[in-house]
Amino acid sequence: MSVKVMSIGLKGLEGYIIQVEVQVTEALESIVIVGLPDASVKESKERVSAALYSLGFPLVDKKVIINLSPAEQKKNGPLFDLPIAIGILRGVQFIKKAIPSSYGFIGALSLDGAIVPVEGMIAAILAAKKLKLKRLFLPYDSALPKLEMEGLELVYVQCIQDVTSILSGQPIFPLVEQPIVLEETVSSKRDFNQIIGHSFAKRALEIAASGEHYLLMDGPPGCGKSLLAETFPSILPPLSKEAQLEKLSLYQLAGAPYSSLVQPPYRHPHHSASAVSIIGGGTNPKPGEVSLAHHGVLFLDELGEFSKKTLDMLRQPLENQRVTISRVHSTVTYPAKFIFIAAMNPCPCGYLGSP
């Protein structure tokens, strides 16, 4: 009998349904995973086998074939450990009831059967809501904020037994609610109203904030260009709940720290930064500065010092408000909707026209 369990696959922040098909037959003991899995997915069979063995379900004389559909999409990450394990337990009839197609499962397994958090969980939750899943089983992570998604029930679980109990109709004790909540107010160290003078520049920045326009500031060193740009986010509206989740998922994927969720991000890379760090990329493409500035501000100081290649690569995110990164292993698209502010000196010495 073939069992189908739903999960979420990620290409950048874009999610799509992964149908984990599991077939268990009487044969020489083996586990085979097909559907373009990468190394981290192939290793799932060892984690799942060890976790089931520790729980008293050794796969003796069982051949397990796992197909990750759609087969043409490359799969990466340990998100599929939990759905594979649930599919096997359903295949050997330990779970009696059929698993609804509106239920999704994400999470990695430890060798003792515990379900542990994985990278990209926020992006997977947002994708599950867009894909209209009704219930999502995921690992408990105290570092994530408390989430309430309309139309999507989030079920936090700590071990495989929790999942099997819920699917069998047995109640379990709810987990302690996450201590982190999405913020409601903005607190900024430097505020726009603290700047005295510069009425012309402040007027230009106010227009840029109201219409989300791009801005170039030109002037000698020490005239206040960097300070004006640094205080600019304080006159932007606070991020909505959806924007906060997008910001959190991007920073989680990039492994970058952040100071506030509700305040629009402010990114100011040095002019010596590489094009990959600004646009994004790598062997497994990660978000760059243009994506970390999503819903916020990207400030390039000393614009003339940046390489021509880097400036040319800014064309696509400025025009399309997203950036597409193509590599041999995968092609991903990250959002990059930001207000672009640049500053430069009027000449190489910087003091042209200055008294």
Side-chain angles (χ1 to χ4, degrees):
M1 182 184 72
S2 178
V3 178
K4 297 179 180 178
V5 181
M6 301 301 168
S7 187
I8 303 293
L10 293 175
K11 290 180 65 177
L13 282 190
E14 297 177 1
Y16 58 97
I17 286 288
I18 293 288
Q19 191 170 257
V20 180
E21 299 180 74
V22 180
Q23 187 178 68
V24 182
T25 57
E26 299 287 340
L28 189 64
E29 182 178 340
S30 65
I31 300 178
V32 180
I33 301 178
V34 297
L36 292 182
D38 71 351
S40 61
V41 180
K42 289 178 181 178
E43 290 173 353
S44 291
K45 58 186 180 183
E46 308 298 340
R47 292 190 295 270
V48 171
S49 177
L52 293 180
Y53 179 82
S54 66
L55 295 173
F57 302 106
L59 299 175
V60 180
D61 297 331
K62 303 288 186 184
K63 181 179 181 181
V64 182
I65 301 175
I66 301 158
N67 177 37
L68 304 178
S69 178
E72 69 275 6
Q73 294 278 8
K74 293 182 179 179
K75 319 302 187 305
N76 56 75
L79 260 70
F80 313 115
D81 287 8
L82 178 58
I84 289 173
I86 296 301
I88 293 174
L89 291 175
R90 171 62 181 154
V92 298
Q93 295 298 307
F94 178 79
I95 298 175
K96 303 296 182 182
K97 294 184 178 180
I99 301 172
S101 60
S102 60
Y103 285 15
F105 301 82
I106 58 171
L109 291 179
S110 63
L111 300 185
D112 61 354
I115 304 170
V116 295
V118 291
E119 187 181 73
M121 280 175 50
I122 294 292
I125 293 171
L126 295 175
K129 185 177 186 301
K130 290 180 181 177
L131 296 168
K132 298 183 179 179
L133 291 179
K134 300 298 182 184
R135 208 174 197 189
L136 183 66
F137 292 79
L138 70 162
Y140 172 77
D141 187 0
S142 60
L144 295 181
K146 179 183 177 183
L147 302 176
E148 293 180 0
M149 311 295 288
E150 185 178 351
L152 175 64
E153 181 186 358
L154 300 178
V155 182
Y156 295 99
V157 288
Q158 290 181 307
C159 60
I160 295 179
Q161 293 98 322
D162 291 346
V163 183
T164 56
S165 298
I166 295 172
L167 293 176
S168 301
Q170 301 174 12
I172 64 169
F173 293 106
L175 295 171
V176 179
E177 291 186 346
Q178 293 89 325
I180 302 177
V181 296
L182 295 181
E183 302 170 40
E184 301 289 348
T185 58
V186 179
S187 59
S188 179
K189 293 181 180 179
R190 291 193 173 183
D191 201 286
F192 194 74
N193 61 16
Q194 295 174 345
I195 298 178
I196 300 174
H198 292 293
S199 58
F200 180 78
K202 289 168 70 175
R203 172 66 174 162
L205 288 166
E206 289 166 358
I207 294 172
S210 61
E212 297 186 355
H213 303 299
Y214 305 149
L215 188 71
L216 172 64
M217 293 184 286
D218 180 12
C223 69
K225 303 186 296 297
S226 299
L227 179 62
L228 285 164
E230 189 176 343
T231 58
F232 178 73
S234 65
I235 62 173
L236 295 176
L239 297 180
S240 63
K241 294 290 180 66
E242 291 78 10
Q244 289 183 47
L245 291 176
E246 285 186 14
K247 176 181 177 179
L248 180 59
S249 59
L250 283 166
Y251 277 70
Q252 188 187 47
L253 285 173
Y258 58 89
S259 57
S260 170
L261 275 179
V262 71
Q263 187 168 354
Y266 172 75
R267 306 296 299 184
H268 51 101
H270 192 260
H271 61 76
S272 62
S274 67
V276 171
S277 67
I278 293 179
I279 303 300
T283 306
N284 296 315
K286 299 278 188 180
E289 294 289 341
V290 295
S291 297
L292 296 179
H294 185 53
H295 291 307
V297 180
L298 177 67
F299 175 54
L300 299 187
D301 201 3
E302 305 294 347
L303 184 66
E305 300 294 331
F306 283 84
S307 67
K308 181 180 183 298
K309 176 185 175 182
T310 301
L311 297 179
D312 287 343
M313 292 178 72
L314 285 173
R315 179 190 59 80
Q316 187 201 18
L318 289 175
E319 287 182 356
N320 303 330
Q321 298 183 341
R322 63 180 182 273
V323 58
T324 301
I325 305 167
S326 298
R327 294 293 181 269
V328 174
H329 297 289
S330 62
T331 299
V332 299
T333 299
Y334 291 114
K337 182 181 179 182
F338 55 86
I339 298 176
F340 179 55
I341 297 180
M344 61 182 296
N345 295 329
C347 66
C349 77
Y351 291 97
L352 179 66
S354 172

